[in-house]
Amino acid sequence: MRLVMLGPPGSGKGTQGVLVAEAAGVPHVSSGAALRRHGGPEVQALMAAGELVDDQVMADIVSTRLAEADAEGGFLLDGYPRDVPQAAALDAWLDGRGERLDAVVLLDAPHQELTDRLLARAQVEDRVDDNPTTITHRLEVYRTRTAPLAAHYDKAGVLRRVDGTGSVAQVAARVAAALGFQTA
Ligand code: AP5
């Protein structure tokens, strides 16, 4: 399967993405994790400010990763695409290989819950962007740059909207139902 997890910061893309990727037997490809591991100082500064990294840089990172052997039969993208040009680049890359996305899972939760989850993570993990000012900005960047992708994928007939509230297990059950398989 070729899958995308879409949703605002804190909606559970990473948490659910790991479960879905395991259930589908495909690699979990997180753009944020790749940038945190390999991004240079300029990229780290953009992430710390909650700004998006350049589209071409992202397209190069993701297309290189997806061309690896373990992604030949499918993949789960977490955090990519994140704006309309990135979605167009992914569509073109897939077209060039005669492939298409099977589903795009859109997770969402109320603004306050998203903020609370990210602030809770700040207590236990050292993510430079989990602070009140940057969280507010990340959510705004999502609203203006990423949320429009829902219409793009709805039009393509692959969008699956999933309520991201409740426990991880409850959300996992909804995601599994939306995709037609079990995650646990
Ligand atoms: P990225 O790493 O993708 O972060 P994000 O989108 O801000 O998402 P998060 O990881 O914060 O949240 P999530 O939705 O994955 O939720 P999670 O499962 O982690 O991107 C970081 C930055 O990198 C971007 O701001 C940008 O600068 C750059 N970047 C990345 N991709 C890019 C791209 N394509 N283009 C340009 N720039 C890019 O959960 C969050 C917390 O909530 C966790 O602690 C988790 O344990 C908890 N949680 C999850 N589910 C539940 C639940 N059901 N109940 C209670 N708690 C829960």
Side-chain angles (χ1 to χ4, degrees):
M1 288 185 99
R2 294 177 180 82
L3 304 166
V4 167
M5 301 298 291
L6 196 61
S11 59
K13 301 182 296 297
T15 304
Q16 299 297 331
V18 167
L19 300 174
V20 172
E22 194 181 339
V26 296
H28 169 234
V29 178
S30 161
S31 54
L35 293 170
R36 275 186 288 280
R37 267 198 305 274
H38 305 299
E42 219 173 292
V43 163
Q44 302 297 340
L46 286 168
M47 294 174 79
E51 300 291 352
L52 296 188
V53 174
D54 178 73
D55 287 337
Q56 190 56 51
V57 170
M58 295 312 305
D60 291 346
I61 290 172
V62 172
S63 60
T64 300
R65 175 65 187 89
L66 296 189
E68 288 178 24
D70 67 336
E72 205 167 295
F75 52 77
L76 180 141
L77 282 170
D78 161 11
Y80 186 91
R82 221 165 174 107
D83 61 13
V84 171
Q86 290 183 13
L90 179 61
D91 287 348
W93 188 83
L94 288 166
D95 276 353
R97 298 165 60 95
E99 296 167 357
R100 66 188 298 274
L101 292 174
D102 294 293
V104 174
V105 175
L106 172 56
L107 287 172
D108 211 351
H111 190 280
Q112 190 58 53
E113 184 161 346
L114 299 171
T115 305
D116 290 348
R117 286 180 187 177
L118 298 176
L119 290 175
R121 183 170 63 188
Q123 306 297 315
V124 288
E125 278 180 41
D126 190 23
R127 251 182 75 161
V128 69
D129 54 351
D130 281 344
N131 60 77
T133 306
T134 310
I135 289 169
T136 301
H137 188 61
R138 285 158 65 199
L139 290 168
E140 180 60 14
V141 169
Y142 174 80
R143 195 182 65 78
T144 55
R145 304 278 299 277
T146 311
L149 294 187
H152 175 82
Y153 288 122
D154 207 8
K155 200 170 160 200
V158 291
L159 191 71
R160 310 277 182 271
R161 292 178 188 273
V162 175
D163 175 4
T165 62
S167 69
V168 169
Q170 285 170 326
V171 179
R174 287 184 209 122
V175 173
L179 292 174
F181 58 75
Q182 295 298 319
T183 55

